[in-house]
Short mmCIF file of all heavy atoms in Angstrom, two decimals:
data_model
loop_
_atom_site.label_atom_id
_atom_site.label_comp_id
_atom_site.label_asym_id
_atom_site.label_seq_id
_atom_site.Cartn_x
_atom_site.Cartn_y
_atom_site.Cartn_z
N PHE D 5 0.80 -1.21 -0.06
CA PHE D 5 0.01 0.00 0.04
C PHE D 5 0.87 1.33 0.05
O PHE D 5 0.44 2.29 -0.53
CB PHE D 5 -0.92 0.02 1.20
CG PHE D 5 -1.96 -1.07 1.17
CD1 PHE D 5 -1.85 -2.22 1.91
CD2 PHE D 5 -3.03 -0.94 0.30
CE1 PHE D 5 -2.82 -3.15 1.89
CE2 PHE D 5 -4.02 -1.92 0.32
CZ PHE D 5 -3.97 -3.10 1.04
N ILE D 6 2.01 1.16 0.67
CA ILE D 6 2.88 2.34 0.75
C ILE D 6 4.29 1.97 0.16
O ILE D 6 4.84 1.00 0.50
CB ILE D 6 3.01 2.78 2.20
CG1 ILE D 6 1.62 3.19 2.81
CG2 ILE D 6 4.00 3.99 2.34
CD1 ILE D 6 1.64 3.48 4.30
N THR D 7 4.68 2.81 -0.79
CA THR D 7 6.05 2.67 -1.35
C THR D 7 6.76 3.96 -1.27
O THR D 7 6.12 5.05 -1.15
CB THR D 7 5.86 2.22 -2.80
OG1 THR D 7 5.01 3.15 -3.57
CG2 THR D 7 5.32 0.82 -2.91
N PRO D 8 8.13 3.89 -1.31
CA PRO D 8 8.90 5.08 -1.20
C PRO D 8 8.80 6.11 -2.32
O PRO D 8 8.95 7.34 -2.07
CB PRO D 8 10.40 4.63 -1.10
CG PRO D 8 10.27 3.24 -1.83
CD PRO D 8 8.98 2.71 -1.51
N ILE D 9 8.45 5.70 -3.43
CA ILE D 9 8.02 6.49 -4.58
C ILE D 9 6.86 5.96 -5.22
O ILE D 9 6.39 4.83 -4.84
CB ILE D 9 9.17 6.55 -5.63
CG1 ILE D 9 9.68 5.21 -6.07
CG2 ILE D 9 10.42 7.37 -5.12
CD1 ILE D 9 10.68 5.20 -7.23
N ASP D 10 6.13 6.55 -6.12
CA ASP D 10 4.81 6.08 -6.64
C ASP D 10 5.04 4.77 -7.28
O ASP D 10 6.01 4.45 -7.93
CB ASP D 10 4.43 7.06 -7.73
CG ASP D 10 3.83 8.46 -7.12
OD1 ASP D 10 3.69 8.46 -5.92
OD2 ASP D 10 3.66 9.33 -7.99
N GLN D 11 4.02 3.88 -6.96
CA GLN D 11 3.97 2.59 -7.62
C GLN D 11 4.11 2.61 -9.12
O GLN D 11 4.80 1.78 -9.72
CB GLN D 11 2.67 1.77 -7.19
CG GLN D 11 2.75 1.16 -5.84
CD GLN D 11 1.70 0.03 -5.70
OE1 GLN D 11 1.13 -0.37 -6.74
NE2 GLN D 11 1.48 -0.33 -4.45
N GLU D 12 3.45 3.58 -9.75
CA GLU D 12 3.56 3.69 -11.15
C GLU D 12 4.90 3.95 -11.70
O GLU D 12 5.36 3.31 -12.75
CB GLU D 12 2.61 4.85 -11.57
CG GLU D 12 2.58 5.06 -13.15
CD GLU D 12 1.61 6.19 -13.55
OE1 GLU D 12 0.86 6.56 -12.66
OE2 GLU D 12 1.72 6.58 -14.64
N ASP D 13 5.73 4.71 -10.93
CA ASP D 13 7.19 5.02 -11.34
C ASP D 13 7.96 3.75 -11.13
O ASP D 13 8.79 3.47 -11.99
CB ASP D 13 7.69 6.13 -10.47
CG ASP D 13 7.09 7.45 -10.79
OD1 ASP D 13 6.62 7.70 -11.93
OD2 ASP D 13 6.93 8.27 -9.94
N ILE D 14 7.68 3.04 -10.10
CA ILE D 14 8.46 1.76 -9.86
C ILE D 14 8.15 0.80 -10.94
O ILE D 14 9.10 0.18 -11.58
CB ILE D 14 8.12 1.16 -8.54
CG1 ILE D 14 8.60 2.03 -7.33
CG2 ILE D 14 8.78 -0.22 -8.36
CD1 ILE D 14 8.13 1.53 -5.99
N LEU D 15 6.86 0.60 -11.29
CA LEU D 15 6.45 -0.30 -12.35
C LEU D 15 7.21 0.11 -13.68
O LEU D 15 7.61 -0.79 -14.43
CB LEU D 15 4.84 -0.24 -12.52
CG LEU D 15 4.16 -1.05 -11.43
CD1 LEU D 15 2.68 -0.72 -11.56
CD2 LEU D 15 4.40 -2.47 -11.59
N HIS D 16 7.08 1.40 -14.02
CA HIS D 16 7.69 1.86 -15.29
C HIS D 16 9.20 1.54 -15.36
O HIS D 16 9.72 0.99 -16.27
CB HIS D 16 7.46 3.38 -15.37
CG HIS D 16 7.62 3.88 -16.68
ND1 HIS D 16 7.59 5.28 -17.03
CD2 HIS D 16 8.03 3.34 -17.92
CE1 HIS D 16 7.80 5.39 -18.26
NE2 HIS D 16 8.12 4.21 -18.80
N LEU D 17 9.88 1.85 -14.20
CA LEU D 17 11.34 1.69 -14.21
C LEU D 17 11.73 0.20 -14.18
O LEU D 17 12.62 -0.17 -14.95
CB LEU D 17 11.96 2.32 -12.87
CG LEU D 17 13.45 2.29 -12.72
CD1 LEU D 17 14.14 2.89 -13.93
CD2 LEU D 17 13.87 2.99 -11.36
N VAL D 18 11.05 -0.64 -13.50
CA VAL D 18 11.44 -2.02 -13.48
C VAL D 18 11.18 -2.69 -14.79
O VAL D 18 11.84 -3.60 -15.19
CB VAL D 18 10.81 -2.80 -12.26
CG1 VAL D 18 11.27 -2.31 -10.97
CG2 VAL D 18 9.31 -2.84 -12.35
N GLN D 19 10.15 -2.28 -15.49
CA GLN D 19 9.84 -2.78 -16.88
C GLN D 19 10.97 -2.47 -17.81
O GLN D 19 11.35 -3.27 -18.60
CB GLN D 19 8.48 -2.32 -17.35
CG GLN D 19 8.07 -2.83 -18.66
CD GLN D 19 7.99 -4.32 -18.72
OE1 GLN D 19 7.20 -4.94 -18.06
NE2 GLN D 19 8.87 -5.00 -19.46
N ILE D 20 11.42 -1.14 -17.75
CA ILE D 20 12.41 -0.81 -18.67
C ILE D 20 13.73 -1.55 -18.35
O ILE D 20 14.43 -2.03 -19.28
CB ILE D 20 12.75 0.78 -18.61
CG1 ILE D 20 11.49 1.55 -19.08
CG2 ILE D 20 13.91 1.05 -19.49
CD1 ILE D 20 11.53 3.02 -18.76
N ILE D 21 14.05 -1.74 -17.14
CA ILE D 21 15.28 -2.46 -16.74
C ILE D 21 15.19 -3.90 -17.25
O ILE D 21 16.11 -4.43 -17.70
CB ILE D 21 15.50 -2.34 -15.24
CG1 ILE D 21 15.78 -0.92 -14.81
CG2 ILE D 21 16.67 -3.34 -14.89
CD1 ILE D 21 15.88 -0.72 -13.37
N ASP D 22 13.95 -4.53 -17.18
CA ASP D 22 13.83 -5.85 -17.58
C ASP D 22 13.94 -5.84 -19.17
O ASP D 22 14.50 -6.77 -19.66
CB ASP D 22 12.42 -6.33 -17.31
CG ASP D 22 12.21 -7.79 -17.61
OD1 ASP D 22 12.81 -8.66 -17.07
OD2 ASP D 22 11.32 -8.09 -18.50
N ASP D 23 13.51 -4.77 -19.78
CA ASP D 23 13.69 -4.64 -21.24
C ASP D 23 15.14 -4.60 -21.63
O ASP D 23 15.51 -5.09 -22.64
CB ASP D 23 12.94 -3.47 -21.78
CG ASP D 23 11.41 -3.57 -21.69
OD1 ASP D 23 10.98 -4.72 -21.61
OD2 ASP D 23 10.74 -2.52 -21.81
N ILE D 24 16.07 -4.02 -20.87
CA ILE D 24 17.47 -3.97 -21.14
C ILE D 24 18.01 -5.35 -21.16
O ILE D 24 18.77 -5.64 -22.15
CB ILE D 24 18.21 -3.05 -20.05
CG1 ILE D 24 17.73 -1.59 -20.14
CG2 ILE D 24 19.69 -3.13 -20.33
CD1 ILE D 24 18.12 -0.72 -19.06
N THR D 25 17.74 -6.15 -20.13
CA THR D 25 18.27 -7.44 -20.12
C THR D 25 17.81 -8.35 -21.31
O THR D 25 18.49 -9.05 -21.91
CB THR D 25 17.97 -8.23 -18.90
OG1 THR D 25 18.18 -7.37 -17.67
CG2 THR D 25 18.75 -9.43 -18.67
N ASP D 26 16.56 -8.16 -21.63
CA ASP D 26 15.95 -8.85 -22.83
C ASP D 26 16.60 -8.37 -24.04
O ASP D 26 16.87 -9.19 -24.99
CB ASP D 26 14.44 -8.51 -22.93
CG ASP D 26 13.60 -9.22 -21.83
OD1 ASP D 26 14.11 -10.11 -21.25
OD2 ASP D 26 12.42 -8.80 -21.66
N ALA D 27 16.98 -7.06 -24.20
CA ALA D 27 17.59 -6.51 -25.37
C ALA D 27 19.00 -7.11 -25.56
O ALA D 27 19.46 -7.36 -26.71
CB ALA D 27 17.61 -5.01 -25.38
N ILE D 28 19.70 -7.21 -24.45
CA ILE D 28 20.96 -7.77 -24.52
C ILE D 28 20.89 -9.29 -24.99
O ILE D 28 21.69 -9.71 -25.86
CB ILE D 28 21.74 -7.69 -23.20
CG1 ILE D 28 21.91 -6.23 -22.80
CG2 ILE D 28 23.05 -8.46 -23.15
CD1 ILE D 28 22.42 -5.92 -21.33
#
């Protein structure tokens, strides 16, 4: 329910980071 930054921002960031590994 409570995260240090917005959940939406965390979701966005972790998806892009996952995309980096996929791209490699």
Side-chain angles (χ1 to χ4, degrees):
F5 294 102
I6 300 174
T7 53
I9 56 178
D10 287 349
Q11 279 201 12
E12 183 179 346
D13 291 328
I14 296 175
L15 285 169
H16 195 185
L17 182 57
V18 299
Q19 181 58 62
I20 296 168
I21 293 171
D22 187 64
D23 289 344
I24 294 169
T25 312
D26 288 346
I28 294 171

